[in-house]
Structures are given as structure tokens and as C-alpha cells.
């Protein structure tokens, strides 16, 4: 499907990459900054710093008081937030066109001069905020750590994607103000940042505004490229049973996948769509509406930039169905897809789903800016918003069958099981070579 969203790019003398996608459908502009630092860039003993800065960046800078970033921009009609993930941290606001200069001035002030306001009091305060977030979002939520157990099981110790994005509370407690300042200087600079403006602004005006506010900032040390060798599928199944009081038993199955933005990842992602990503998926048809042994069953692919991605399935048994029976049925579906590949109807359904979701995403200037930032930061491909559907359309049924056979066979699984019958210790370590971290990540969550 040919898409022709306008995309213009430039790079300032200090290394800041600026992308403008002009769209005058409404008088608003999405301002989106992707900083090329996430939890995979952290060092042992210094985890959680990327997510911590998501909070610290709202605590004031050289010319902006603590909390003023929210109050000033919301007063101008903006909606704004930030998120952290394995591969990046991003900051974004969508606002009336007339407030664009205010947003850029405030972003440049905190991205260039945060350390003027980063005091011990701010650090201590935001450490406490992160701890409370951990308790609320993960420790005290049913299944709150399920994906975090999967990350620790699928990726070996010391792998960039093994440790949780929210970090170790012990590491954060041990961090000094000097440690935190050093982290900011290393990663937060124009040469490691992409600024995307999407909406009611021309490329000429957008580039000039970016240079006006960001041009004087100093370029730092270039970030190292993603270079972790890709991992093969797990050699044998691993299993963790979690002793937690939950509303109902549940299963999560995780698999290693190829790196994102590759033909191999696209095929593996399509295989997961066929399994559990559409209304006519195999898990939905056969386990939820067919045999009715599951109340829900779904699957998804999490594309990651540094060598290896993650695929996972989640399913909950119906009353009277054991986890063992449900897992056996899921494994049968995995084996069938690996052996026989998808049908023509399944490929059509996956293609329709991809098209609907992608066009819906790009229809919003906010989400379009975010996708441009992602493609530019991680893959140097700002035009990828116009070629994504063409790339996915090139995936054949044979490609999907090969991907399922290579990556999604039963023996390649990591299982996280919530039996639900608490009362005795059930959490077990994964097999040797797959240590279990037992700590949560932020999972792209916002403030």
C-alpha cells in the first residue's frame, strides 16, 4: 500500500537529528524526543538509571522550576508525558501550534541544562517515587511481574534485555549524585537524540526552531551501536511457577525472536498474529470458542533492536481446566503451525490487522511522531512509516512457516505459570544458564 506522509530531515551541527512531518489538518503539533538510552545501556550495579531520569527530567532545569514543565505546557493546552523502555527513553507533548516555541524552549532547557537543578534532594525524592511505582504497578498487582519473569528466563544473565527497566532498588539506593550526573552527561546530548515535529509546522519553520533552541547545546560522545550477538532459540524448555494469590491461574510462554526491523522478525511476528493476534487466530478459535478450555488466549511480538526480540503468549484456563491441559493444547497449536504453516485465510487476516493498526496509528500526529522517532533513533529509517506495510506485505506463508519452525516450537519455550493455589513455596529458578531476576521493569510505562 503506497503511503506518502511527508518526511523531511536535517541534522544540526551538534548532531541533533530533526524530522518534520507537515500536516495542517488541525492546528496542533506533536513534539517528540527520543533519547538513545534505555535499560540495555545500563551497567551492572547501575540499573534503573534510564527510568529514573524519566522522572528527574520533570523536576526542573536551569530556567524551569520543579513541576513547571507540566504546569506551563498544560496551561497552554498540551498533553504530555514520557516513557522508558529497553532501547530508549522518550519525551513528548502535543499542543496548539502557538505553543510550539514554549515546548521547544522547555525541552532544550532540560535536555541541555538539567544538572543545574539536579540536587541530592531531587534525587532522593524521585528514588522514593520509583519505589512507590514499583510497589503499585508490579509488586501489588496480580500477574504484575509476569513479563519480567519472562525477560529473565528468555535472556541470559548480563544480556542487555535480562535486567528490569525499573531497575534494582538496591542499585538506586547505592547511586550517588555524582553517578547520576555522569549518566546524564554520557547519554543526554544532541548527538544521541532525535527531535520529531509532526503536525501544523513546515519543515523550514521546524528546522529553524530546532536550531534556535537546541543549536547551542554541546554534542557529547556518540552512543555505541547495537552490537549484541543474536541469540538462538532456547535449547530446552524452562519453567518458573509463581506462588502468588491471583484471581485465576494463568500461563505465559516466551520465545526468543530475531531482531526487530528485519524480514525474519516480520515473519515471526506474523506467526504470532496467526496464533493469537487476530479475532480468527488459532488460539481464539480452538481454545476459547472451540473447546472452551480458555477464557482468553493471545500472543504478541515485542520488537527489540539489539540482536534478539521477544515473542510471548498468554492464556487463562476456564473453570475445570488445569494449567497442564491448557499448556498441552497451546503446544499442539505451536507444533501444527511449525509443521504446516499458515493458511491463506490466516495470512489475509494478519495482513488486514496490520493494515488497520498501522493506518490508525499514523492517523494521529502524536503516534505518527512517535513512530518516526522510533524508526529514526533505532534504525535510521524515518521514511519507514511509508514503507512498513509494504515490508509486511512481502512476508509469505512460507516465510511464516519457516519462522514458526525455527523460533516457536514447543522445545524453545520459557513458561511462567501462576497456579493460583498459594500456600507453599512454588517459585523455582529457570534451568541453568537462564537465571531469574525476580524484579520488574517499567514496560514502557509513563509517569
Amino acid at each position: 500500500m503506497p503511503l506518502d506522509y511527508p518526511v523531511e530531515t536535517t541534522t544540526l551541527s551538534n548532531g541533533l537529528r530533526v524530522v518534520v512531518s507537515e500536516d495542517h489538518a488541525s492546528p496542533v503539533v506533536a513534539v517528540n524526543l527520543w533519547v538513545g538510552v534505555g535499560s540495555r545501556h545500563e551497567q551492572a550495579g547501575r540499573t534503573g538509571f534510564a527510568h529514573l531520569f524519566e522522572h528527574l527530567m520533570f523536576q526542573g532545569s536551569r530556567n524551569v522550576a520543579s513541576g513547571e514543565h507540566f504546569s506551563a505546557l498544560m496551561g497552554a493546552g498540551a498533553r504530555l508525558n514520557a516513557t522508558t523502555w529497553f532501547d530508549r527513553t522518550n519525551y513528548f507533548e502535543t499542543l496548539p501550534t502557538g505553543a510550539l516555541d514554549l515546548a521547544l524552549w522547555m525541552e532544550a532547557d532540560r535536555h541541555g541544562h538539567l544538572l543545574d537543578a539536579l540536587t541530592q534532594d531531587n534525587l532522593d525524592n524521585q528514588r522514593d517515587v520509583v519505589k512507590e511505582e514499583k510497589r503499585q504497578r508490579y509488586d501489588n498487582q496480580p500477574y504484575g511481574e509476569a513479563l519480567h519473569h519472562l525477560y529473565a528466563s528468555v535472556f541470559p544473565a548480563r544480556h542487555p534485555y535480562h535486567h528490569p527497566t525499573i531497575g534494582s532498588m538496591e542499585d538506586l539506593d547505592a547511586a550517588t549524585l555524582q553517578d547520576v550526573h555522569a549518566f546524564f552527561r554520557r547519554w543526554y546530548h544532541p548527538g544521541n537524540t532525535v527531535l520529531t515535529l509532526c503536525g501544523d509546522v513546515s519543515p523550514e519553520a521546524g528546522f529553524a526552531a530546532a536550531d534556535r533552541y537546541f543549536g547551542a547545546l554541546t554534542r557529547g560522545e556518540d552512543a555505541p551501536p547495537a552490537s549484541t550477538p543474536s541469540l538462538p532459540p532456547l535449547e530446552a524448555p524452562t519453567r518458573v511457577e509463581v506462588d502468588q494469590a491471583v484471581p485465576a491461574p494463568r500461563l505465559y510462554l516466551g520465545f526468543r525472536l530475531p531482531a526487530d526491523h528485519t524480514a525474519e522478525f516480520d515473519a515471526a511476528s506474523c506467526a504470532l498474529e496467526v496464533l493469537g493476534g487476530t479475532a480468527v487466530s488459532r488460539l481464539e478459535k480452538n481454545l476459547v470458542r472451540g473447546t472452551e478450555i480458555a477464557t482468553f488466549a493471545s500472543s504478541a511480538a515485542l520488537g527489540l533492536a539489539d540482536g534478539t526480540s521477544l515473542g510471548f503468549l498468554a492464556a487463562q484456563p476456564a473453570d475445570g481446566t488445569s494449567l497442564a491441559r491448557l499448556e498441552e493444547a497451546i503446544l499442539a497449536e505451536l507444533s501444527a503451525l511449525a509443521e504446516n504453516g499458515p493458511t491463506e485465510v490466516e495470512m489475509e487476516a494478519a495482513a488486514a490487522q496490520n493494515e488497520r493498526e498501522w493506518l490508525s496509528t499514523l492517523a494521529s500526529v502524536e503516534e505518527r511522531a512517535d513512530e518516526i522517532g522510533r524508526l529514526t533513533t533505532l534504525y535510521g529509517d524515518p521514511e519507514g512509516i511509508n514503507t512498513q506495510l509494504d515490508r509486511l506485505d512481502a512476508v509469505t506463508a512460507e516465510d511464516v512457516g519457516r519462522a514458526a519452525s525455527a523460533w516457536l516450537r514447543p522445545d524453545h519455550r520459557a513458561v511462567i505459570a501462576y497456579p493460583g493455589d498459594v500456600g507453599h513455596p512454588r517459585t523455582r529458578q529457570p534451568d541453568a544458564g537462564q537465571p531469574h531476576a525476580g524484579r520488574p521493569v517499567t514496560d514502557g510505562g509513563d509517569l
Side-chain angles (χ1 to χ4, degrees), residues 7-287:
V7 177
E8 300 289 339
T9 66
T10 193
T11 302
L12 303 188
S13 59
N14 59 13
L16 180 72
R17 288 167 287 173
V18 185
V19 189
V20 177
S21 181
E22 187 174 7
D23 184 345
H24 301 290
S26 60
V28 299
V29 180
V31 178
N32 194 297
L33 289 102
W34 273 54
V35 183
V37 60
S39 60
R40 74 170 168 89
H41 300 92
E42 297 165 347
Q43 302 300 312
R46 293 292 183 270
T47 65
F49 280 30
H51 172 253
L52 178 65
F53 269 96
E54 177 196 320
H55 290 262
L56 291 171
M57 288 285 278
F58 290 94
Q59 298 307 301
S61 49
R62 175 179 293 176
N63 299 296
V64 179
S66 179
E68 190 177 5
H69 199 96
F70 271 113
S71 63
L73 288 174
M74 291 177 69
R79 59 178 180 267
L80 63 152
N81 219 313
T83 68
T84 311
W85 188 230
F86 290 117
D87 294 318
R88 55 82 182 138
T89 309
N90 70 333
Y91 302 86
F92 49 92
E93 46 260 337
T94 303
L95 34 72
T97 307
L100 175 59
D101 282 87
L102 174 63
L104 292 177
W105 175 77
M106 297 188 83
E107 287 291 4
D109 200 69
R110 66 176 176 175
H111 281 266
H113 309 296
L114 180 80
L115 296 187
D116 289 12
L118 183 42
T119 64
Q120 187 67 50
D121 285 345
N122 278 344
L123 174 57
D124 293 341
N125 174 270
Q126 292 309 301
R127 270 196 286 228
D128 289 341
V129 171
V130 171
K131 291 177 182 178
E132 182 61 21
E133 177 183 345
K134 179 179 181 292
R135 287 188 287 267
Q136 289 187 3
R137 299 183 65 175
Y138 307 116
D139 296 351
N140 298 320
Q141 286 290 328
Y143 323 108
E145 293 187 320
L147 287 181
H148 315 150
H149 291 310
L150 270 186
Y151 304 148
S153 297
V154 169
F155 300 106
R158 292 175 294 279
H159 189 278
Y161 297 134
H162 175 87
H163 78 265
T165 302
I166 203 167
S168 156
M169 299 303 100
E170 292 80 9
D171 287 354
L172 289 182
D173 281 339
T176 66
L177 189 62
Q178 291 72 28
D179 293 333
V180 175
H181 276 229
F183 186 89
F184 180 85
R185 291 192 186 98
R186 173 65 184 89
W187 299 107
Y188 276 79
H189 61 83
N192 195 38
T193 302
V194 170
L195 167 64
T196 302
L197 304 176
C198 185
D200 187 27
V201 60
S202 68
E204 295 78 16
F207 296 156
D211 190 54
R212 183 160 63 248
Y213 295 109
F214 286 85
L217 302 185
T218 302
R219 178 172 187 156
E221 180 184 352
D222 287 346
S227 59
T228 304
S230 59
L231 297 172
L234 290 169
E235 294 181 357
T238 69
R239 190 175 193 88
V240 175
E241 291 194 358
V242 182
D243 183 33
Q244 182 186 32
V246 290
R250 189 174 291 183
L251 279 176
Y252 295 84
L253 278 68
F255 301 85
R256 293 173 180 170
L257 298 181
D260 190 18
H261 212 62
T262 63
E264 293 78 10
F265 174 80
D266 293 339
S269 178
C270 187
L272 286 164
E273 288 279 344
V274 169
L275 281 166
T278 73
V280 294
S281 69
R282 297 189 179 193
L283 298 181
E284 177 70 21
K285 286 194 306 179
N286 298 336
L287 306 190

Side-chain angles (χ1 to χ4, degrees), residues 406-431:
W407 298 96
L408 299 176
R409 286 188 176 275
D411 285 349
H412 301 329
R413 74 191 187 276
V415 179
I416 310 300
Y418 285 80
D421 52 343
V422 297
H424 57 283
R426 279 186 176 271
T427 302
R428 297 201 301 267
Q429 297 289 344
D431 293 347

